[in-house]
Every structure is written in structure tokens, then in C-alpha cells.
Amino acid sequence: MFTDVGPKKTSSQQLIKEANMRRIFALICINEGISRAGIAASTGLSPTTVSTLADGLISSGLVIETGAGELATSGRKPIMLEVNPGGGAIIAADLQKNGYYLGIFNLKCQSLDEVFIPLKDYEALGSSIVENTAILLEKCGYGVDRLLGICVGAPGIIDRKKGRVVSSTIIPLETSNLFYEKLKKAFPDVTVEIMNESGLCAYAESQYGAIGRHTDNLLYIDIHAGIGAGIIINGSIYEGSGELAGEFGHISIDLNGPVCKCGSRGCLEILASIPALVANIESETDFLKEHPETRTEDEKLRIIAMEYIGKKRYSGQIDKTAEYIAYGINNAINLINPGAVVIGGKITAMGSGFLKKVVEVQRRIGLDRNRRTKIIMSEFEGNPVTAGGARYIFNKIF
Amino acid sequence: MFTDVGPKKTSSQQLIKEANMRRIFALICINEGISRAGIAASTGLSPTTVSTLADGLISSGLVIETGAGELATSGRKPIMLEVNPGGGAIIAADLQKNGYYLGIFNLKCQSLDEVFIPLKDYEALGSSIVENTAILLEKCGYGVDRLLGICVGAPGIIDRKKGRVVSSTIIPLETSNLFYEKLKKAFPDVTVEIMNESGLCAYAESQYGAIGRHTDNLLYIDIHAGIGAGIIINGSIYEGSGELAGEFGHISIDLNGPVCKCGSRGCLEILASIPALVANIESETDFLKEHPETRTEDEKLRIIAMEYIGKKRYSGQIDKTAEYIAYGINNAINLINPGAVVIGGKITAMGSGFLKKVVEVQRRIGLDRNRRTKIIMSEFEGNPVTAGGARYIFNKIF
DNA sequence: TTAATTTCTCCAGTGGCTTTATTAATTGTA
DNA sequence: TACAATTAATAAAGCCACTGGAGAAATTAA
């Protein structure tokens, strides 16, 4: 996007120009409405340079002039520059058990639309995304040439270099599934990334979250059937040396605890996942007697949450889960000392009572100095996977 | 060091020049003996530019020509460029209980000398370092103007911005101790950094270690009276949002375990530190009967290690310690998935038998895919704190 | 209408990099 | 020994992104 500006130049000069262009564009992104003069003052670049580069951004369609801005004192009114929302579109997918969400975002990373596409056969994932990307683009008035990137968020272990889901307990995606290649082939000039969903949630929190925005290092804990984590280090998604970081569910907090399928004992996943919580409640309370009908886990969770929030029922089991999670979080804080820990996933159905218990336990067992880390529940509006994915693509390009 | 090259220039061009100079210098550092032509081929810069910048490096004393190099085919022999070891000196301190080590390193980060300075009164730390820095510089033939930086490695919690040791159980350094200010005042043009010792050990392993060199993410576990950790993420020392990362000792692996002074239960520090190991052996074996004389912990550890390595005694307690550490390491691997975990500190006295047990347990309890992380014992020759500190300063400057 | 002020643009100049050409040094061969 | 071939390093000329100052454009206040 930034490389087709002007004729061939010597590499280093081109580099400078591109870097300055990025700086200017970033400023325009952050400040909704800023003048050329404002950019010059803020960057230290000369007004001349800013004018030249801004004109380049305008002619490439990324930026538009939005008329005269207000000025406190006298003088010529500034011409305000803003990101051109229609200048480009980003597509983000969120793979689920029986299909996927597909969202379209404008250049301001605002969600324009999001649909759920049911999938019977995951073999067809690639071609399905290709089709529905075209549909969404058309629906929102974008030509295919305006597509900037596609991000696919998936549960499980990702091999980003090969663009594959290596293993996942949730979606039936074989290692051999070539949906990444299909996307690259259909949209050759476009950035395509496969990312772990927890990482994208973490990224969404770190970019948009009221708390997350203010820290460089953040841990997002995703509690559902499994327990995963997304880690933000120095503002970027951290994936570890083998793209395996964030296996929060297999942190052990009880080496004498129950045996986990991973070979260890007392893992959080076996103690504090949603299935573990439901199983505890079923075996220790009258839940099954009161609700004898066969139900899905989601339905059970809904009932449990309702009765917990309304009548404080099952608080023994839920508090216990909170304690386990607090031990896990405290271990993570001791190791990586993030500025914030965000709890997300289905467990958020339990509401603030659950969070309160987690915080209470962590404050009790944590070192004094580690109590500064904020522990909150995700309050993200919309789908954090697609929002994080779109933002990730955006920041990768610009 | 790089800023006084030539007259005033426009900012962006100056930036490019400096960046290219750094690139060239880095290449000369890595390749012992490289020609201007070789640099041009390797960087993609033009021969002319390389010549100009190399001349700048030579005239600033950082680089020297070391005569003609060998050439396979015919043609003019290249003039080899190398780092000028005498071009600068770096001083690194390693604070201990009763004094500190002070090492001097040349521009190739090679250790020239290292001395132990006993200290009765820690109030005098700053002036003592100033004095002994001058002595070491003179001893090695450096003028004071050749000093590039000083790194002080300290146990405990560091506030790097203020240059203070915030809390340490090992050395009696009050928060009010102004040794950082003293150093800055005595050597105003010089980079001065206070760093956590575990972080510096980790850095030394990641820069020089046979295994550590090959991974971007590394965990160094320092087991002595406490258990700390140094974390390398993307090749840099990671300190967390509050400079508190690496509190490995307070990771809990048994929420029903013994109460720790931190308020939690089953922390590694209370289960697997050197004092814990010695206490276990004293209470569960005949150690005290056989060695009734009062001894220091270090002496006890020496005896235990000797008998463990020679006669496999105390292997019950030592294996248990290894198991605890393995659980801690496995938790860390699950969370941050480093390429390597290096075990250091006094526990290394136990030799390869201890390491073997740690690896065995981690391999048993770890996820298949997490068994790829290498777990090794530190085999660093010399003092990793000063070596890591010197290297840290070097990489910060260049 | 004029002065003052602020925004934006045009023009000449600076400096770091590149390309092309030249000089320097070495090997191989007649 | 002379000379071509080859590689390394330097010199000269030109390119281009940025800067600073002059000036045009637009707006407010007097």
C-alpha cells in the first residue's frame, strides 16, 4: 500500500519517506481530524515535507480532506485531514464449532457488518471465506481492489508460517487443510494471517480496552471448554518460540491434584474449565435432580449463571473455580508481571461476583508489589476476535 | 559515541547515517575480520557508502584495519576491519552480600580483569565503585575518556528509572542509597544502568550460551536462597510492567501446600529453595548427627552435593526438589513457551543428576508439543552477571 | 480596507546514498 | 617480465528526501 508511491528511488531514501509517511498516517489515525500544520508541529518534520507526504496519502485514497477546522485565534483555518474510511476494507474471521463469523471493517477499523456462516464441511472453509468476503465487500460498497487484508482467528495451535491450524479440539481442521493457500491465491496482493483467537482477544483488549490501552503488557485469559491465554508483550501479540505460548489451561496449581490428560496433575483446565465447573455442580448439588432433562453445556451454564447471580446458588463451586483461577493468575503475574489481566470467555456469564472472588483471592495470596496488576473482566462490545484481527492486520500494514 | 560524527545535518538523513553505521559496526562485531567489500555485499549498501562510514568508525577509534585478508581467487586482497578492543571499556559490577565483584571488559566484550571488593558499609557503594573503576581502567591501560558504560547487577527489586534497589533480602541497600546518582555524577557522559542480576544472567546465556544463542526467548532460573528468574523475550531482557517480572519463587504449585511468607501456599521458594532443601535433608536424614558442628549453609550445601554426586545420598530430597522445579518450569513453559530454560545458581552444585531429574519430570508432565523447549544447566564460564551486564551496555550503546 | 496571523506551497540548497568510472593490488599466463 | 583478469577501494557526478525561507492563501480583528 505504501510502496507504490512515486517512481523508483534509492533504498534508504525510500525508507525514510515511507517511515515518515507511516508516522503521518499514524498521527492522522490517532487524532480524528488534524491539519498539516498540526502534523508538522507534532512530528518535527517541516511543513513542506508534511504537505508533500500528505498529498501522497490523499492521492492513494487513504486520507481525505474534511474541510476547514476551527481555530481559536485569528488566521487561516486549517484543512483537516482524516482517515478515509472507504479507503480500504479488512476482513476478519472467527472460527467456531459449526461455522464462522465473518466481519468487515473499514480503514478506521470500525465494524461495518458481521455475519455467521454455518459450515457443515470444514474442507470448504477456504472457498467459503473467499465467497463471503466478496459478498461482504460488495454489500458495503467496496471494490475487491480495496481489500487490504484478511485475518482468520482460530482456536487451537496455529502454525503461522505455514498458515495452518496444527491442532484443535474444537474445530475439525486437519493439518492438511489448505484454506490459507486458497485465500492467498484468491487475494494475492493482500495480507493474510491466521492467528490464535485468544491472542486476538488479548490484542483487542490492549488496543481498545479501557484498562488494556494503558499498559504494554497484558494477559487475556479465555475460559470456556479449555482455558487459553493471549499474551501481549510490549504492545505486540507474543507467541513464544514455538507459537505455543498461552497454554494457561495446563498450568498446574496442585501437583497432588487430579490427573490431567496432558500427563500432569492439578492443571487449571481440569480444575476450573467450564466442563469442570459444571461437573462439580452436578456431583455436589441437586442440579441434575432439578433439571433432569438432557441439556447442552451452554444451556446448563446459562441456568447456573442465572441462579448464581439471582440467588447466590452454587457459590461454593463457583468460588472454588475463582480460587483456582486466582492461583493461576497469580502465578502468571509473578512470572510476567503484566499491567492488566483480562478474564474472558464463557465464564464471564458469572458476572462481577466471580471477578470479585478472583481479585479477592489474588490480593490475599499475591506479593504486595504484585497487587498493582489490574484484574478485570472483558467488557468488549462486539466480537473481540474479529475486532482484534482487523486491528492486527491494520497495524501490520501501516 | 555515534553522535559526534561530522557536522550538523538534517535529522532524517543523520538518522539514516547513524543506522547504517550501526549496521556496519554490528557486522564487524559479529564477523571477526570482514572487508569493506564484504560489508557492502552483506548489507546491500554501496561500496562507496561503506567506505565512507567505515572511515568514520576508524577515525572514532571503534574499528581498526588489521591488514590484508586471504582471498580464494585472484584479485586485490581485502583490507580486513575489526573491532578495536582498546577502543573502549565497559565496567560491570555484581553486588553480593559482603561486597561486590567489579569487572572490566574491552570493546569486544572480553573480560580483561575482575576483582572482588569487600564492603563493610553499603553507604559507600557509589564512591567505592567510582574509585575502583578508575583503578581498573588505569590497570588495563584505558584513559577515563575511553569508558563507555557501567552496569550494576543487583539482587532484588530494581527501580531502573530512579536507579535504585527498591527491596532486597540479600544486600542492605536502602531505597535512599544514591549510588546511581554518584556514578552518573562521576561519569556524566557514560551509560549507567542498574539491572536485576537474574536478568543479566539470562542475557549472558542468550548472548553467549551454546543453546541460548539460538533462541529469542529464554528463561533463566536462579536457585539459591530465593528463586528468581530472568526472562529474555525477543532477544531483550523483559522486566514486566512494574519491573517485577521473574518472581519465579512465588509461583505456587500446590495450593494446599505450606504457607509462604508472601501469603500464598506451596510457592517454589518454600518448597525448593536451597534453605528448603537443606532443611528437608536435616529433618529427614542423619545429616545433623553426622555433621554436628555448626556450619554455614554454603558449607552444608557443599557436603550435601559431594555426597549426592559421589554416593547418591539424599537423592530422595534432591529428587523431590527437582520435581518441584520441574512443575514450576512446566508452568512457565506453558505460559511463555521459551526456546530454552537455563537453570543456574547454587543448585548447579548438584550436577547433572539433578538436571536429569528435572528434565525427566518435565517430559512426563509436559504437553507433547512443549517438550521441544530445551532445559539445560548453566555452563557459563566466568561471572554471568558482569558478562551479561557488559554485553547489555554494549548492545544498548551500539 | 488594512494589519496581523495562521496555513499551506514553491524554490533553492544540503547531505547521504547510488551509479559509473577510475585507481590499486594481486594472481595467472604467455 | 609484460599483460590480461579479477577483486578491492576510492573518486566524481547525480538523485532524491528533507529543510529553511519566501511567498501566496485564507481568515480575524481593527
Side-chain angles (χ1 to χ4, degrees):
Chain A
M1 182 56 48
F2 269 74
T3 50
D4 56 347
V5 187
K8 202 196 156 200
K9 289 147 219 155
T10 59
S11 64
S12 302
Q13 282 166 326
Q14 200 172 7
L15 232 71
I16 274 205
K17 189 172 182 177
E18 200 180 312
N20 283 332
M21 225 160 179
R22 275 174 209 277
R23 271 179 81 190
I24 291 177
F25 188 63
L27 258 176
I28 295 174
C29 287
I30 296 164
N31 303 285
E32 284 291 300
I34 186 170
S35 68
R36 290 170 176 81
I39 294 171
S42 178
T43 58
L45 293 166
S46 71
T48 315
T49 304
V50 173
S51 260
T52 315
L53 298 183
D55 288 353
L57 289 170
I58 289 170
S59 67
S60 75
L62 295 176
V63 167
I64 44 173
E65 296 186 334
T66 54
E70 283 312 304
L71 192 64
T73 59
S74 73
R76 174 175 171 177
K77 281 186 176 171
I79 303 169
M80 303 313 262
L81 300 174
E82 276 187 39
V83 174
N84 178 14
I90 298 172
I91 294 284
D94 169 20
L95 304 192
Q96 299 278 323
K97 210 169 181 178
N98 305 308
Y100 63 94
Y101 291 97
L102 197 66
I104 181 167
F105 295 78
N106 67 16
L107 244 198
K108 287 184 174 177
C109 285
Q110 293 163 326
S111 174
L112 300 178
D113 199 359
E114 182 152 332
V115 292
F116 183 79
I117 314 286
L119 261 191
K120 287 258 150 36
D121 176 14
Y122 264 87
E123 271 304 307
L125 178 63
S127 47
S128 174
I129 294 178
V130 171
E131 271 172 44
N132 287 287
T133 292
I135 292 171
L136 275 182
L137 285 171
E138 175 148 19
K139 195 169 162 190
C140 296
Y142 286 101
V144 183
D145 59 310
R146 294 274 82 180
L147 179 64
L148 294 174
I150 301 176
C151 184
V152 179
I157 308 296
I158 316 290
D159 182 335
R160 285 183 52 210
K161 271 142 227 155
K162 292 190 182 153
R164 289 180 191 173
V165 178
V166 173
S167 93
S168 172
T169 50
I170 293 157
I171 53 172
L173 265 178
E174 296 303 313
T175 305
S176 59
N177 191 299
L178 303 176
F179 71 95
Y180 177 78
E181 277 83 353
K182 283 216 178 97
L183 293 177
K184 280 303 277 179
K185 205 172 173 186
F187 308 106
D189 302 328
V190 148
T191 305
V192 180
E193 291 288 340
I194 319 289
M195 302 289 291
N196 176 278
E197 55 167 16
S198 301
L200 294 179
C201 289
Y203 200 60
E205 287 290 342
S206 84
Q207 292 279 316
Y208 300 114
I211 306 264
R213 250 180 323 189
H214 302 291
T215 179
D216 276 350
N217 309 301
L218 178 145
L219 181 67
Y220 182 95
I221 299 172
D222 207 4
I223 305 172
H224 38 243
I227 302 182
I231 304 174
I232 305 296
I233 298 278
N234 296 328
S236 300
I237 297 177
Y238 172 76
E239 297 177 301
S241 291
E243 298 184 326
L244 297 169
E247 279 288 356
F248 199 79
H250 295 289
I251 286 179
S252 167
I253 55 168
D254 184 1
L255 80 172
N256 301 308
V259 173
C260 176
K261 63 176 189 287
C262 73
S264 185
R265 285 168 172 275
C267 295
L268 285 172
E269 194 150 311
I270 209 166
L271 294 174
S273 63
I274 297 292
L277 173 62
V278 171
N280 285 345
I281 289 173
E282 285 182 347
S283 71
E284 295 176 8
T285 73
D286 292 336
F287 181 87
L288 277 180
K289 270 190 209 155
E290 293 173 25
H291 306 281
E293 327 85 74
T294 326
R295 292 172 182 276
T296 65
E297 194 174 85
D298 280 357
E299 284 167 341
K300 289 177 189 170
L301 190 67
R302 201 177 45 76
I303 294 166
I304 291 167
M306 210 174 61
E307 300 196 333
Y308 170 67
I309 292 171
K311 308 177 209 162
K312 296 244 170 212
R313 288 197 68 185
Y314 316 122
S315 59
Q317 290 74 31
I318 291 170
D319 283 1
K320 197 78 196 155
T321 300
E323 189 181 347
Y324 294 142
I325 295 297
Y327 265 85
I329 288 177
N330 196 49
N331 280 353
I333 292 177
N334 274 315
L335 191 61
I336 62 174
N337 179 228
V341 174
V342 182
I343 300 172
K346 289 181 182 165
I347 199 76
T348 51
M350 298 303 159
S352 60
F354 177 81
L355 173 67
K356 207 174 147 190
K357 185 71 188 173
V358 171
V359 173
E360 179 196 315
V361 174
Q362 194 277 326
R363 273 12 177 185
R364 195 183 74 226
I365 66 175
L367 288 162
D368 283 6
R369 49 184 180 263
N370 272 343
R371 290 175 195 157
R372 259 172 276 167
T373 296
K374 297 198 170 64
I375 302 175
I376 56 173
M377 237 171 197
S378 177
E379 293 176 354
F380 200 85
E381 285 181 32
N383 185 340
V385 177
T386 52
R391 188 77 196 180
Y392 177 79
I393 295 285
F394 181 85
N395 283 344
K396 193 180 168 103
I397 298 176
F398 302 114
Chain B
M1 182 56 48
F2 270 76
T3 51
D4 55 348
V5 187
K8 202 195 154 200
K9 291 144 219 156
T10 60
S11 64
S12 302
Q13 280 168 325
Q14 199 172 8
L15 232 72
I16 275 210
K17 187 173 183 178
E18 199 179 313
N20 283 333
M21 226 159 179
R22 275 174 209 277
R23 270 180 81 190
I24 291 177
F25 187 64
L27 257 177
I28 296 173
C29 288
I30 296 164
N31 303 285
E32 284 292 298
I34 186 170
S35 68
R36 290 169 174 81
I39 294 171
S42 179
T43 57
L45 292 166
S46 72
T48 316
T49 304
V50 173
S51 259
T52 315
L53 297 182
D55 288 353
L57 288 170
I58 289 170
S59 66
S60 74
L62 295 176
V63 167
I64 44 173
E65 297 186 333
T66 56
E70 283 312 304
L71 192 64
T73 58
S74 72
R76 175 175 170 178
K77 281 185 177 172
I79 304 168
M80 301 314 259
L81 300 174
E82 276 187 40
V83 174
N84 177 15
I90 298 171
I91 294 285
D94 170 19
L95 304 192
Q96 300 279 323
K97 210 170 182 178
N98 305 308
Y100 63 95
Y101 290 98
L102 196 67
I104 181 167
F105 296 77
N106 66 18
L107 244 197
K108 286 184 173 177
C109 284
Q110 293 163 326
S111 174
L112 300 177
D113 199 359
E114 182 151 333
V115 293
F116 184 78
I117 314 285
L119 261 191
K120 287 258 151 35
D121 176 13
Y122 264 86
E123 272 302 308
L125 178 63
S127 48
S128 174
I129 293 178
V130 171
E131 272 172 44
N132 287 287
T133 291
I135 292 171
L136 275 182
L137 284 171
E138 174 149 20
K139 196 170 162 189
C140 296
Y142 286 100
V144 183
D145 59 309
R146 294 276 83 182
L147 178 64
L148 295 175
I150 300 175
C151 185
V152 179
I157 308 295
I158 316 289
D159 182 335
R160 284 184 51 210
K161 273 142 226 157
K162 292 192 183 151
R164 288 180 192 173
V165 178
V166 173
S167 92
S168 171
T169 50
I170 293 157
I171 51 171
L173 265 179
E174 296 302 313
T175 306
S176 59
N177 191 298
L178 302 175
F179 71 94
Y180 177 78
E181 277 84 351
K182 283 216 177 99
L183 292 177
K184 281 303 277 181
K185 206 173 172 187
F187 308 107
D189 302 327
V190 146
T191 305
V192 180
E193 290 288 340
I194 319 289
M195 303 288 292
N196 177 277
E197 55 167 15
S198 301
L200 293 179
C201 289
Y203 200 61
E205 286 290 341
S206 85
Q207 292 280 316
Y208 300 116
I211 307 265
R213 250 179 325 189
H214 302 292
T215 178
D216 276 349
N217 309 301
L218 179 145
L219 181 67
Y220 181 95
I221 299 171
D222 208 3
I223 305 173
H224 39 245
I227 302 182
I231 304 173
I232 305 296
I233 299 277
N234 296 329
S236 301
I237 297 177
Y238 172 76
E239 297 177 301
S241 291
E243 299 185 326
L244 298 169
E247 280 286 356
F248 200 78
H250 295 289
I251 286 179
S252 166
I253 56 169
D254 185 0
L255 78 171
N256 301 309
V259 174
C260 176
K261 63 176 190 286
C262 73
S264 186
R265 286 169 171 274
C267 295
L268 285 171
E269 195 150 309
I270 209 166
L271 293 174
S273 62
I274 298 292
L277 174 62
V278 171
N280 285 345
I281 288 173
E282 285 182 347
S283 72
E284 294 175 9
T285 73
D286 293 334
F287 181 86
L288 278 180
K289 270 189 211 157
E290 293 173 25
H291 306 282
E293 327 86 74
T294 327
R295 292 170 182 277
T296 65
E297 195 174 84
D298 280 358
E299 284 168 339
K300 288 177 189 168
L301 189 68
R302 200 176 45 74
I303 294 166
I304 291 167
M306 207 176 63
E307 300 196 335
Y308 170 67
I309 292 170
K311 307 178 208 159
K312 297 243 169 214
R313 288 197 67 186
Y314 316 120
S315 58
Q317 290 76 29
I318 292 169
D319 282 2
K320 198 76 196 160
T321 301
E323 190 181 345
Y324 294 141
I325 295 297
Y327 265 84
I329 288 177
N330 196 50
N331 280 354
I333 293 176
N334 274 315
L335 191 62
I336 63 174
N337 179 228
V341 174
V342 182
I343 299 172
K346 288 181 183 166
I347 198 76
T348 52
M350 298 303 159
S352 60
F354 177 80
L355 174 66
K356 206 175 147 191
K357 185 71 188 175
V358 171
V359 174
E360 179 196 314
V361 174
Q362 194 279 325
R363 271 18 177 182
R364 196 184 74 225
I365 65 175
L367 288 162
D368 283 6
R369 49 184 180 262
N370 272 343
R371 291 176 193 155
R372 260 172 274 166
T373 296
K374 298 200 169 64
I375 302 175
I376 56 173
M377 237 171 198
S378 176
E379 294 177 354
F380 199 86
E381 286 181 31
N383 186 340
V385 177
T386 52
R391 188 78 197 179
Y392 177 79
I393 295 286
F394 181 84
N395 284 344
K396 193 179 169 102
I397 298 175
F398 302 113

